[in-house]
Amino acid sequence: MVKIVDVAEAAQVSVATVSRALNNNARVDPVLVERVREAAERLGYRPNAVARNLRRQGTRVWALIITDINNPFYTAVARGVEDRAQEAGYSVLLCNTDEDQAKEDRYLQVAAQERVAGVILAPRSTVSDTSILEANGIPLVVVDRQLDREADFITGASFEGAVMATEHLIREGWQRPACITRPSDTDTTEQRRKGYEDVVRRHGLPETVRHVPFHTDGGVSAIRELFDGDDPPDSLLTVDSMLALGALTEVQRRGLRPGRDVGIIGFDDAVWTTVVDPPLSVVAQPAYEIGAEAARLLVRRIRGLGPATPQTLIMSTTLILRGSSRRVRRR
Amino acid sequence: MVKIVDVAEAAQVSVATVSRALNNNARVDPVLVERVREAAERLGYRPNAVARNLRRQGTRVWALIITDINNPFYTAVARGVEDRAQEAGYSVLLCNTDEDQAKEDRYLQVAAQERVAGVILAPRSTVSDTSILEANGIPLVVVDRQLDREADFITGASFEGAVMATEHLIREGWQRPACITRPSDTDTTEQRRKGYEDVVRRHGLPETVRHVPFHTDGGVSAIRELFDGDDPPDSLLTVDSMLALGALTEVQRRGLRPGRDVGIIGFDDAVWTTVVDPPLSVVAQPAYEIGAEAARLLVRRIRGLGPATPQTLIMSTTLILRGSSRRVRRR
DNA sequence: TTGTAAGCGTTATCAA
DNA sequence: TTGATAACGCTTACAA
């Protein structure tokens, strides 16, 4: 592996000059610069980033820690983060925790040990422990789900989205909307549940809520019990796209048709929402923009800019009405 | 930021002893080990991985470079890689190239500079240049798409999968299957096209092939032209899940029903294949296992084990028959 | 078993 | 403008 001394020797200059020439920092004789460039090129020299990071006391790498790489919401966030990171000269280490708190802890530890320049985290729960970052002076931006502790935080308007969705269902004439949500230590989905409850309560309708663990069948069994029980719902609000898939699966199994026999509305506009029949109504989040804003804020934090106190940014969600939430009279 | 000397001072020992105690290498007096552990704990000491990597001349990080983070095939591969990597004590840097050769080059450069322990690459094209890894002695395992140069390579049986799929379509009675594929410098999809052509040729049927660039509408416009042209196809083989989505979109727009008016079969068993109506037939690849095997091979390469010459592993694909490829007589 | 000190490959300081 | 050299924080001979 060719190193800086080899280049220096080949170009007949000191290592200091090689370093300066290649990092075009201070003024270096253009003739030497050319000689160094040529030698480096010829030898195939690649600066050792590990040594550089040690000396510079900092890396050009971020860790982006998400809970589910198969959730299109998070992959869209990741693209937003990545595009902005690249612009700012950072590489992104994408880490998938699989909704596993232990994995999240491990990744936070790795991030701290590798001295990444910053972390963007979608925490497993509201009590995720990020103190290790604080202890090592690593800036943190939280996305999607809020933490108990104060931190920069960017998310979609979950509560408002759920309110819009639930009100829409009721306006369409559905009388018994149920909410299929995630475990109650997950901030964002709790916001959605609360939005739902707020509306049904205001309308004097019964509240029906089911909490579905991650890593299950997308809520199929929970939804089945719901329909098999007393007072089955006539419509469903699901808080993420996997749960919407589960709802569609169970509804189809029962021979019910969305938009006629049952109303369905989900969160997040996955690629498949327009090819199911009827197409799925959703509350869409600006996922890419959430990622991009998180990255923008992280850059400011790394540079020591931005407001003194942690900032919260709630980006508005959009109700996309398609066939699944309508209520067409049976003929 | 607390470093090893701080711990040494607090524990009243030398830095060497701290290092040895924490890495439980050589024999260290248990009493001292305990004292060091306690001091490290109390001070919140985190070894600086950058310094460690420099000294050890090696990192515990892999780069996994994929072309599309939104393609469920690649995310499944990533999970396979990650699980195995974790077992072997490595962290995975997931890099998304967006089918952009320049981005791929940049990531390869970053990987080389950061001196990652190994790289798993799904290359953009057959001519991707990985020489920078070779030059730095970084082991490489190629997944999904083959390179022109020799390298360890793991993929699904694309050709055979396409053969199975096409033969199935013909057996169902479809007379004019068309193949919707990706640009011809993409190895895997070319294999699928060839499998398709092999079968239709053998049956004396016309070959109809369309190459769809990445980053488009999932082939909707190409498929539209196909149906609007002379000799429209009566069935479709699509080589990835985004193209299947495009096919479904256009077919629905035309008011055709898969499994009756048109046969459709795709590649990769995405989560949504069972909720469309009728469910989508697919050639499923063992994506998780491809990732896991790639990781397993990479570990062997890093340890200097494994066969002397590059290895190729082709994992078998499975035909999953659902409604979309049937041919039910119109009544 | 423990401590001293060299060295990993860079960058930045200081003197020339 | 250039060169010699001291760090950066850790691991590991080598010596004690």
PDB file of all heavy atoms in Angstrom, chain A residues 28-62:
ATOM      1  N   VAL A  28       1.679  26.571  -2.560  1.00  0.00           N
ATOM      2  CA  VAL A  28       2.752  25.661  -2.938  1.00  0.00           C
ATOM      3  C   VAL A  28       3.128  25.997  -4.382  1.00  0.00           C
ATOM      4  O   VAL A  28       2.253  26.311  -5.192  1.00  0.00           O
ATOM      5  CB  VAL A  28       2.274  24.188  -2.869  1.00  0.00           C
ATOM      6  CG1 VAL A  28       3.403  23.248  -3.271  1.00  0.00           C
ATOM      7  CG2 VAL A  28       1.753  23.858  -1.485  1.00  0.00           C
ATOM      8  N   ASP A  29       4.402  25.942  -4.650  1.00  0.00           N
ATOM      9  CA  ASP A  29       4.892  26.186  -6.010  1.00  0.00           C
ATOM     10  C   ASP A  29       4.136  25.305  -7.007  1.00  0.00           C
ATOM     11  O   ASP A  29       4.148  24.079  -6.885  1.00  0.00           O
ATOM     12  CB  ASP A  29       6.396  25.861  -6.049  1.00  0.00           C
ATOM     13  CG  ASP A  29       7.015  26.210  -7.403  1.00  0.00           C
ATOM     14  OD1 ASP A  29       6.256  26.270  -8.396  1.00  0.00           O
ATOM     15  OD2 ASP A  29       8.230  26.418  -7.446  1.00  0.00           O
ATOM     16  N   PRO A  30       3.479  25.920  -7.977  1.00  0.00           N
ATOM     17  CA  PRO A  30       2.680  25.167  -8.960  1.00  0.00           C
ATOM     18  C   PRO A  30       3.475  24.056  -9.636  1.00  0.00           C
ATOM     19  O   PRO A  30       2.926  23.003  -9.964  1.00  0.00           O
ATOM     20  CB  PRO A  30       2.281  26.238  -9.985  1.00  0.00           C
ATOM     21  CG  PRO A  30       2.323  27.522  -9.238  1.00  0.00           C
ATOM     22  CD  PRO A  30       3.391  27.372  -8.199  1.00  0.00           C
ATOM     23  N   VAL A  31       4.745  24.306  -9.814  1.00  0.00           N
ATOM     24  CA  VAL A  31       5.589  23.286 -10.441  1.00  0.00           C
ATOM     25  C   VAL A  31       5.623  22.032  -9.562  1.00  0.00           C
ATOM     26  O   VAL A  31       5.459  20.903 -10.038  1.00  0.00           O
ATOM     27  CB  VAL A  31       7.029  23.806 -10.652  1.00  0.00           C
ATOM     28  CG1 VAL A  31       7.908  22.709 -11.259  1.00  0.00           C
ATOM     29  CG2 VAL A  31       7.022  25.044 -11.536  1.00  0.00           C
ATOM     30  N   LEU A  32       5.807  22.255  -8.256  1.00  0.00           N
ATOM     31  CA  LEU A  32       5.848  21.127  -7.322  1.00  0.00           C
ATOM     32  C   LEU A  32       4.495  20.432  -7.247  1.00  0.00           C
ATOM     33  O   LEU A  32       4.406  19.206  -7.194  1.00  0.00           O
ATOM     34  CB  LEU A  32       6.282  21.606  -5.934  1.00  0.00           C
ATOM     35  CG  LEU A  32       7.730  22.085  -5.838  1.00  0.00           C
ATOM     36  CD1 LEU A  32       8.104  22.355  -4.394  1.00  0.00           C
ATOM     37  CD2 LEU A  32       8.671  21.065  -6.452  1.00  0.00           C
ATOM     38  N   VAL A  33       3.459  21.254  -7.209  1.00  0.00           N
ATOM     39  CA  VAL A  33       2.114  20.679  -7.161  1.00  0.00           C
ATOM     40  C   VAL A  33       1.947  19.684  -8.309  1.00  0.00           C
ATOM     41  O   VAL A  33       1.494  18.557  -8.117  1.00  0.00           O
ATOM     42  CB  VAL A  33       1.025  21.781  -7.256  1.00  0.00           C
ATOM     43  CG1 VAL A  33      -0.347  21.147  -7.413  1.00  0.00           C
ATOM     44  CG2 VAL A  33       1.065  22.681  -6.050  1.00  0.00           C
ATOM     45  N   GLU A  34       2.342  20.124  -9.468  1.00  0.00           N
ATOM     46  CA  GLU A  34       2.193  19.265 -10.647  1.00  0.00           C
ATOM     47  C   GLU A  34       3.019  17.983 -10.491  1.00  0.00           C
ATOM     48  O   GLU A  34       2.534  16.884 -10.759  1.00  0.00           O
ATOM     49  CB  GLU A  34       2.635  20.040 -11.896  1.00  0.00           C
ATOM     50  CG  GLU A  34       2.300  19.329 -13.196  1.00  0.00           C
ATOM     51  CD  GLU A  34       0.942  18.623 -13.150  1.00  0.00           C
ATOM     52  OE1 GLU A  34      -0.080  19.245 -12.756  1.00  0.00           O
ATOM     53  OE2 GLU A  34       0.905  17.424 -13.477  1.00  0.00           O
ATOM     54  N   ARG A  35       4.250  18.150 -10.002  1.00  0.00           N
ATOM     55  CA  ARG A  35       5.109  16.999  -9.830  1.00  0.00           C
ATOM     56  C   ARG A  35       4.510  16.009  -8.823  1.00  0.00           C
ATOM     57  O   ARG A  35       4.515  14.793  -9.039  1.00  0.00           O
ATOM     58  CB  ARG A  35       6.491  17.449  -9.354  1.00  0.00           C
ATOM     59  CG  ARG A  35       7.635  16.850 -10.156  1.00  0.00           C
ATOM     60  CD  ARG A  35       8.898  17.640 -10.021  1.00  0.00           C
ATOM     61  NE  ARG A  35       9.493  17.555  -8.692  1.00  0.00           N
ATOM     62  CZ  ARG A  35      10.383  18.447  -8.210  1.00  0.00           C
ATOM     63  NH1 ARG A  35      10.744  19.484  -8.956  1.00  0.00           N
ATOM     64  NH2 ARG A  35      10.889  18.316  -7.012  1.00  0.00           N
ATOM     65  N   VAL A  36       3.973  16.550  -7.753  1.00  0.00           N
ATOM     66  CA  VAL A  36       3.351  15.711  -6.725  1.00  0.00           C
ATOM     67  C   VAL A  36       2.120  14.996  -7.279  1.00  0.00           C
ATOM     68  O   VAL A  36       1.954  13.785  -7.134  1.00  0.00           O
ATOM     69  CB  VAL A  36       2.972  16.545  -5.483  1.00  0.00           C
ATOM     70  CG1 VAL A  36       2.090  15.737  -4.552  1.00  0.00           C
ATOM     71  CG2 VAL A  36       4.219  17.023  -4.772  1.00  0.00           C
ATOM     72  N   ARG A  37       1.291  15.772  -7.933  1.00  0.00           N
ATOM     73  CA  ARG A  37       0.077  15.203  -8.533  1.00  0.00           C
ATOM     74  C   ARG A  37       0.429  14.025  -9.440  1.00  0.00           C
ATOM     75  O   ARG A  37      -0.189  12.974  -9.373  1.00  0.00           O
ATOM     76  CB  ARG A  37      -0.639  16.281  -9.384  1.00  0.00           C
ATOM     77  CG  ARG A  37      -1.412  17.285  -8.593  1.00  0.00           C
ATOM     78  CD  ARG A  37      -2.932  16.993  -8.695  1.00  0.00           C
ATOM     79  NE  ARG A  37      -3.616  17.618  -7.558  1.00  0.00           N
ATOM     80  CZ  ARG A  37      -3.895  18.916  -7.481  1.00  0.00           C
ATOM     81  NH1 ARG A  37      -3.539  19.731  -8.457  1.00  0.00           N
ATOM     82  NH2 ARG A  37      -4.500  19.403  -6.418  1.00  0.00           N
ATOM     83  N   GLU A  38       1.414  14.270 -10.264  1.00  0.00           N
ATOM     84  CA  GLU A  38       1.805  13.260 -11.245  1.00  0.00           C
ATOM     85  C   GLU A  38       2.302  11.995 -10.532  1.00  0.00           C
ATOM     86  O   GLU A  38       1.904  10.875 -10.852  1.00  0.00           O
ATOM     87  CB  GLU A  38       2.886  13.858 -12.160  1.00  0.00           C
ATOM     88  CG  GLU A  38       3.282  12.983 -13.342  1.00  0.00           C
ATOM     89  CD  GLU A  38       4.355  11.985 -12.945  1.00  0.00           C
ATOM     90  OE1 GLU A  38       5.212  12.328 -12.079  1.00  0.00           O
ATOM     91  OE2 GLU A  38       4.345  10.861 -13.473  1.00  0.00           O
ATOM     92  N   ALA A  39       3.152  12.213  -9.528  1.00  0.00           N
ATOM     93  CA  ALA A  39       3.715  11.069  -8.797  1.00  0.00           C
ATOM     94  C   ALA A  39       2.609  10.279  -8.085  1.00  0.00           C
ATOM     95  O   ALA A  39       2.568   9.049  -8.146  1.00  0.00           O
ATOM     96  CB  ALA A  39       4.754  11.546  -7.798  1.00  0.00           C
ATOM     97  N   ALA A  40       1.716  11.011  -7.433  1.00  0.00           N
ATOM     98  CA  ALA A  40       0.614  10.370  -6.708  1.00  0.00           C
ATOM     99  C   ALA A  40      -0.239   9.551  -7.673  1.00  0.00           C
ATOM    100  O   ALA A  40      -0.578   8.396  -7.413  1.00  0.00           O
ATOM    101  CB  ALA A  40      -0.243  11.428  -6.017  1.00  0.00           C
ATOM    102  N   GLU A  41      -0.538  10.149  -8.790  1.00  0.00           N
ATOM    103  CA  GLU A  41      -1.336   9.487  -9.820  1.00  0.00           C
ATOM    104  C   GLU A  41      -0.629   8.212 -10.288  1.00  0.00           C
ATOM    105  O   GLU A  41      -1.220   7.133 -10.324  1.00  0.00           O
ATOM    106  CB  GLU A  41      -1.511  10.460 -11.001  1.00  0.00           C
ATOM    107  CG  GLU A  41      -2.213   9.866 -12.208  1.00  0.00           C
ATOM    108  CD  GLU A  41      -3.701   9.706 -11.965  1.00  0.00           C
ATOM    109  OE1 GLU A  41      -4.240  10.418 -11.070  1.00  0.00           O
ATOM    110  OE2 GLU A  41      -4.310   8.886 -12.643  1.00  0.00           O
ATOM    111  N   ARG A  42       0.650   8.363 -10.604  1.00  0.00           N
ATOM    112  CA  ARG A  42       1.416   7.258 -11.166  1.00  0.00           C
ATOM    113  C   ARG A  42       1.500   6.086 -10.188  1.00  0.00           C
ATOM    114  O   ARG A  42       1.385   4.927 -10.560  1.00  0.00           O
ATOM    115  CB  ARG A  42       2.817   7.756 -11.532  1.00  0.00           C
ATOM    116  CG  ARG A  42       3.712   6.723 -12.199  1.00  0.00           C
ATOM    117  CD  ARG A  42       4.848   7.402 -12.961  1.00  0.00           C
ATOM    118  NE  ARG A  42       5.496   8.460 -12.153  1.00  0.00           N
ATOM    119  CZ  ARG A  42       6.405   8.240 -11.197  1.00  0.00           C
ATOM    120  NH1 ARG A  42       6.769   7.016 -10.918  1.00  0.00           N
ATOM    121  NH2 ARG A  42       6.939   9.249 -10.533  1.00  0.00           N
ATOM    122  N   LEU A  43       1.662   6.427  -8.899  1.00  0.00           N
ATOM    123  CA  LEU A  43       1.798   5.371  -7.904  1.00  0.00           C
ATOM    124  C   LEU A  43       0.446   4.845  -7.423  1.00  0.00           C
ATOM    125  O   LEU A  43       0.365   3.868  -6.693  1.00  0.00           O
ATOM    126  CB  LEU A  43       2.598   5.883  -6.699  1.00  0.00           C
ATOM    127  CG  LEU A  43       4.022   6.357  -6.997  1.00  0.00           C
ATOM    128  CD1 LEU A  43       4.673   6.890  -5.729  1.00  0.00           C
ATOM    129  CD2 LEU A  43       4.849   5.214  -7.578  1.00  0.00           C
ATOM    130  N   GLY A  44      -0.608   5.522  -7.817  1.00  0.00           N
ATOM    131  CA  GLY A  44      -1.936   5.119  -7.350  1.00  0.00           C
ATOM    132  C   GLY A  44      -2.112   5.381  -5.861  1.00  0.00           C
ATOM    133  O   GLY A  44      -2.709   4.587  -5.131  1.00  0.00           O
ATOM    134  N   TYR A  45      -1.616   6.525  -5.431  1.00  0.00           N
ATOM    135  CA  TYR A  45      -1.680   6.847  -4.004  1.00  0.00           C
ATOM    136  C   TYR A  45      -3.093   7.227  -3.569  1.00  0.00           C
ATOM    137  O   TYR A  45      -3.753   8.045  -4.207  1.00  0.00           O
ATOM    138  CB  TYR A  45      -0.724   8.010  -3.704  1.00  0.00           C
ATOM    139  CG  TYR A  45      -0.892   8.592  -2.321  1.00  0.00           C
ATOM    140  CD1 TYR A  45      -0.587   7.849  -1.188  1.00  0.00           C
ATOM    141  CD2 TYR A  45      -1.379   9.885  -2.153  1.00  0.00           C
ATOM    142  CE1 TYR A  45      -0.747   8.377   0.069  1.00  0.00           C
ATOM    143  CE2 TYR A  45      -1.538  10.427  -0.889  1.00  0.00           C
ATOM    144  CZ  TYR A  45      -1.230   9.672   0.224  1.00  0.00           C
ATOM    145  OH  TYR A  45      -1.391  10.196   1.469  1.00  0.00           O
ATOM    146  N   ARG A  46      -3.541   6.613  -2.477  1.00  0.00           N
ATOM    147  CA  ARG A  46      -4.817   6.989  -1.849  1.00  0.00           C
ATOM    148  C   ARG A  46      -4.522   7.344  -0.411  1.00  0.00           C
ATOM    149  O   ARG A  46      -4.062   6.492   0.343  1.00  0.00           O
ATOM    150  CB  ARG A  46      -5.796   5.806  -1.838  1.00  0.00           C
ATOM    151  CG  ARG A  46      -6.206   5.306  -3.168  1.00  0.00           C
ATOM    152  CD  ARG A  46      -7.170   6.248  -3.838  1.00  0.00           C
ATOM    153  NE  ARG A  46      -7.040   6.142  -5.282  1.00  0.00           N
ATOM    154  CZ  ARG A  46      -7.511   7.028  -6.140  1.00  0.00           C
ATOM    155  NH1 ARG A  46      -8.108   8.121  -5.696  1.00  0.00           N
ATOM    156  NH2 ARG A  46      -7.361   6.852  -7.428  1.00  0.00           N
ATOM    157  N   PRO A  47      -4.774   8.592  -0.013  1.00  0.00           N
ATOM    158  CA  PRO A  47      -4.509   8.975   1.381  1.00  0.00           C
ATOM    159  C   PRO A  47      -5.213   8.014   2.330  1.00  0.00           C
ATOM    160  O   PRO A  47      -6.350   7.611   2.080  1.00  0.00           O
ATOM    161  CB  PRO A  47      -5.116  10.372   1.487  1.00  0.00           C
ATOM    162  CG  PRO A  47      -5.372  10.836   0.109  1.00  0.00           C
ATOM    163  CD  PRO A  47      -5.347   9.665  -0.806  1.00  0.00           C
ATOM    164  N   ASN A  48      -4.571   7.639   3.380  1.00  0.00           N
ATOM    165  CA  ASN A  48      -5.162   6.771   4.394  1.00  0.00           C
ATOM    166  C   ASN A  48      -6.068   7.608   5.300  1.00  0.00           C
ATOM    167  O   ASN A  48      -5.599   8.403   6.107  1.00  0.00           O
ATOM    168  CB  ASN A  48      -4.040   6.122   5.197  1.00  0.00           C
ATOM    169  CG  ASN A  48      -4.578   5.172   6.231  1.00  0.00           C
ATOM    170  OD1 ASN A  48      -5.658   5.393   6.783  1.00  0.00           O
ATOM    171  ND2 ASN A  48      -3.844   4.116   6.493  1.00  0.00           N
ATOM    172  N   ALA A  49      -7.385   7.409   5.114  1.00  0.00           N
ATOM    173  CA  ALA A  49      -8.344   8.223   5.847  1.00  0.00           C
ATOM    174  C   ALA A  49      -8.277   7.962   7.347  1.00  0.00           C
ATOM    175  O   ALA A  49      -8.586   8.836   8.158  1.00  0.00           O
ATOM    176  CB  ALA A  49      -9.759   7.967   5.335  1.00  0.00           C
ATOM    177  N   VAL A  50      -7.858   6.768   7.717  1.00  0.00           N
ATOM    178  CA  VAL A  50      -7.785   6.439   9.141  1.00  0.00           C
ATOM    179  C   VAL A  50      -6.738   7.333   9.818  1.00  0.00           C
ATOM    180  O   VAL A  50      -6.997   7.952  10.853  1.00  0.00           O
ATOM    181  CB  VAL A  50      -7.446   4.953   9.346  1.00  0.00           C
ATOM    182  CG1 VAL A  50      -7.283   4.648  10.822  1.00  0.00           C
ATOM    183  CG2 VAL A  50      -8.512   4.077   8.725  1.00  0.00           C
ATOM    184  N   ALA A  51      -5.573   7.411   9.202  1.00  0.00           N
ATOM    185  CA  ALA A  51      -4.517   8.268   9.749  1.00  0.00           C
ATOM    186  C   ALA A  51      -4.948   9.732   9.729  1.00  0.00           C
ATOM    187  O   ALA A  51      -4.767  10.472  10.695  1.00  0.00           O
ATOM    188  CB  ALA A  51      -3.236   8.087   8.945  1.00  0.00           C
ATOM    189  N   ARG A  52      -5.546  10.115   8.636  1.00  0.00           N
ATOM    190  CA  ARG A  52      -5.999  11.495   8.511  1.00  0.00           C
ATOM    191  C   ARG A  52      -7.014  11.834   9.598  1.00  0.00           C
ATOM    192  O   ARG A  52      -6.935  12.878  10.232  1.00  0.00           O
ATOM    193  CB  ARG A  52      -6.619  11.700   7.138  1.00  0.00           C
ATOM    194  CG  ARG A  52      -7.411  12.975   7.020  1.00  0.00           C
ATOM    195  CD  ARG A  52      -8.026  13.120   5.661  1.00  0.00           C
ATOM    196  NE  ARG A  52      -7.000  13.354   4.663  1.00  0.00           N
ATOM    197  CZ  ARG A  52      -7.258  13.435   3.357  1.00  0.00           C
ATOM    198  NH1 ARG A  52      -8.485  13.279   2.922  1.00  0.00           N
ATOM    199  NH2 ARG A  52      -6.288  13.667   2.509  1.00  0.00           N
ATOM    200  N   ASN A  53      -7.952  10.940   9.802  1.00  0.00           N
ATOM    201  CA  ASN A  53      -8.980  11.189  10.810  1.00  0.00           C
ATOM    202  C   ASN A  53      -8.370  11.315  12.204  1.00  0.00           C
ATOM    203  O   ASN A  53      -8.812  12.141  13.007  1.00  0.00           O
ATOM    204  CB  ASN A  53     -10.008  10.064  10.813  1.00  0.00           C
ATOM    205  CG  ASN A  53     -10.814  10.032   9.533  1.00  0.00           C
ATOM    206  OD1 ASN A  53     -10.893  11.026   8.814  1.00  0.00           O
ATOM    207  ND2 ASN A  53     -11.411   8.888   9.245  1.00  0.00           N
ATOM    208  N   LEU A  54      -7.390  10.483  12.456  1.00  0.00           N
ATOM    209  CA  LEU A  54      -6.755  10.544  13.773  1.00  0.00           C
ATOM    210  C   LEU A  54      -6.080  11.909  13.961  1.00  0.00           C
ATOM    211  O   LEU A  54      -6.280  12.584  14.957  1.00  0.00           O
ATOM    212  CB  LEU A  54      -5.709   9.436  13.906  1.00  0.00           C
ATOM    213  CG  LEU A  54      -4.937   9.440  15.229  1.00  0.00           C
ATOM    214  CD1 LEU A  54      -5.885   9.302  16.408  1.00  0.00           C
ATOM    215  CD2 LEU A  54      -3.888   8.335  15.247  1.00  0.00           C
ATOM    216  N   ARG A  55      -5.327  12.268  12.959  1.00  0.00           N
ATOM    217  CA  ARG A  55      -4.598  13.533  13.060  1.00  0.00           C
ATOM    218  C   ARG A  55      -5.574  14.727  13.113  1.00  0.00           C
ATOM    219  O   ARG A  55      -5.436  15.626  13.925  1.00  0.00           O
ATOM    220  CB  ARG A  55      -3.671  13.650  11.855  1.00  0.00           C
ATOM    221  CG  ARG A  55      -2.957  14.963  11.695  1.00  0.00           C
ATOM    222  CD  ARG A  55      -2.045  15.233  12.866  1.00  0.00           C
ATOM    223  NE  ARG A  55      -2.295  16.550  13.403  1.00  0.00           N
ATOM    224  CZ  ARG A  55      -1.350  17.399  13.780  1.00  0.00           C
ATOM    225  NH1 ARG A  55      -0.092  17.050  13.718  1.00  0.00           N
ATOM    226  NH2 ARG A  55      -1.665  18.574  14.238  1.00  0.00           N
ATOM    227  N   ARG A  56      -6.569  14.685  12.263  1.00  0.00           N
ATOM    228  CA  ARG A  56      -7.496  15.819  12.203  1.00  0.00           C
ATOM    229  C   ARG A  56      -8.493  15.814  13.351  1.00  0.00           C
ATOM    230  O   ARG A  56      -9.273  16.742  13.507  1.00  0.00           O
ATOM    231  CB  ARG A  56      -8.271  15.773  10.886  1.00  0.00           C
ATOM    232  CG  ARG A  56      -7.438  16.214   9.702  1.00  0.00           C
ATOM    233  CD  ARG A  56      -8.367  16.542   8.557  1.00  0.00           C
ATOM    234  NE  ARG A  56      -7.631  17.015   7.400  1.00  0.00           N
ATOM    235  CZ  ARG A  56      -8.066  16.884   6.145  1.00  0.00           C
ATOM    236  NH1 ARG A  56      -9.230  16.304   5.908  1.00  0.00           N
ATOM    237  NH2 ARG A  56      -7.360  17.349   5.151  1.00  0.00           N
ATOM    238  N   GLN A  57      -8.496  14.723  14.073  1.00  0.00           N
ATOM    239  CA  GLN A  57      -9.440  14.607  15.181  1.00  0.00           C
ATOM    240  C   GLN A  57     -10.882  14.732  14.725  1.00  0.00           C
ATOM    241  O   GLN A  57     -11.685  15.414  15.358  1.00  0.00           O
ATOM    242  CB  GLN A  57      -9.142  15.680  16.240  1.00  0.00           C
ATOM    243  CG  GLN A  57      -7.808  15.505  16.916  1.00  0.00           C
ATOM    244  CD  GLN A  57      -7.852  14.393  17.936  1.00  0.00           C
ATOM    245  OE1 GLN A  57      -7.771  13.218  17.582  1.00  0.00           O
ATOM    246  NE2 GLN A  57      -7.994  14.748  19.179  1.00  0.00           N
ATOM    247  N   GLY A  58     -11.173  14.070  13.627  1.00  0.00           N
ATOM    248  CA  GLY A  58     -12.559  14.094  13.171  1.00  0.00           C
ATOM    249  C   GLY A  58     -12.708  13.365  11.852  1.00  0.00           C
ATOM    250  O   GLY A  58     -11.775  13.314  11.058  1.00  0.00           O
ATOM    251  N   THR A  59     -13.885  12.767  11.635  1.00  0.00           N
ATOM    252  CA  THR A  59     -14.136  12.032  10.400  1.00  0.00           C
ATOM    253  C   THR A  59     -15.101  12.811   9.514  1.00  0.00           C
ATOM    254  O   THR A  59     -15.659  13.829   9.925  1.00  0.00           O
ATOM    255  CB  THR A  59     -14.770  10.667  10.701  1.00  0.00           C
ATOM    256  OG1 THR A  59     -16.052  10.875  11.290  1.00  0.00           O
ATOM    257  CG2 THR A  59     -13.905   9.869  11.660  1.00  0.00           C
ATOM    258  N   ARG A  60     -15.282  12.324   8.326  1.00  0.00           N
ATOM    259  CA  ARG A  60     -16.264  12.917   7.416  1.00  0.00           C
ATOM    260  C   ARG A  60     -17.399  11.921   7.204  1.00  0.00           C
ATOM    261  O   ARG A  60     -17.893  11.749   6.082  1.00  0.00           O
ATOM    262  CB  ARG A  60     -15.609  13.263   6.081  1.00  0.00           C
ATOM    263  CG  ARG A  60     -14.489  14.285   6.186  1.00  0.00           C
ATOM    264  CD  ARG A  60     -14.959  15.642   6.641  1.00  0.00           C
ATOM    265  NE  ARG A  60     -15.637  16.365   5.575  1.00  0.00           N
ATOM    266  CZ  ARG A  60     -16.211  17.551   5.739  1.00  0.00           C
ATOM    267  NH1 ARG A  60     -16.204  18.127   6.927  1.00  0.00           N
ATOM    268  NH2 ARG A  60     -16.792  18.153   4.733  1.00  0.00           N
ATOM    269  N   VAL A  61     -17.774  11.262   8.263  1.00  0.00           N
ATOM    270  CA  VAL A  61     -18.784  10.210   8.165  1.00  0.00           C
ATOM    271  C   VAL A  61     -19.917  10.468   9.152  1.00  0.00           C
ATOM    272  O   VAL A  61     -19.684  10.900  10.275  1.00  0.00           O
ATOM    273  CB  VAL A  61     -18.142   8.831   8.469  1.00  0.00           C
ATOM    274  CG1 VAL A  61     -19.188   7.748   8.521  1.00  0.00           C
ATOM    275  CG2 VAL A  61     -17.078   8.501   7.431  1.00  0.00           C
ATOM    276  N   TRP A  62     -21.120  10.244   8.694  1.00  0.00           N
ATOM    277  CA  TRP A  62     -22.268  10.287   9.608  1.00  0.00           C
ATOM    278  C   TRP A  62     -22.807   8.869   9.795  1.00  0.00           C
ATOM    279  O   TRP A  62     -22.666   8.037   8.909  1.00  0.00           O
ATOM    280  CB  TRP A  62     -23.425  11.084   8.998  1.00  0.00           C
ATOM    281  CG  TRP A  62     -23.181  12.537   8.861  1.00  0.00           C
ATOM    282  CD1 TRP A  62     -22.141  13.254   9.345  1.00  0.00           C
ATOM    283  CD2 TRP A  62     -24.029  13.454   8.146  1.00  0.00           C
ATOM    284  NE1 TRP A  62     -22.280  14.569   8.978  1.00  0.00           N
ATOM    285  CE2 TRP A  62     -23.417  14.724   8.253  1.00  0.00           C
ATOM    286  CE3 TRP A  62     -25.224  13.344   7.443  1.00  0.00           C
ATOM    287  CZ2 TRP A  62     -23.969  15.865   7.674  1.00  0.00           C
ATOM    288  CZ3 TRP A  62     -25.778  14.474   6.872  1.00  0.00           C
ATOM    289  CH2 TRP A  62     -25.158  15.718   6.993  1.00  0.00           C
TER     290      TRP A  62
END
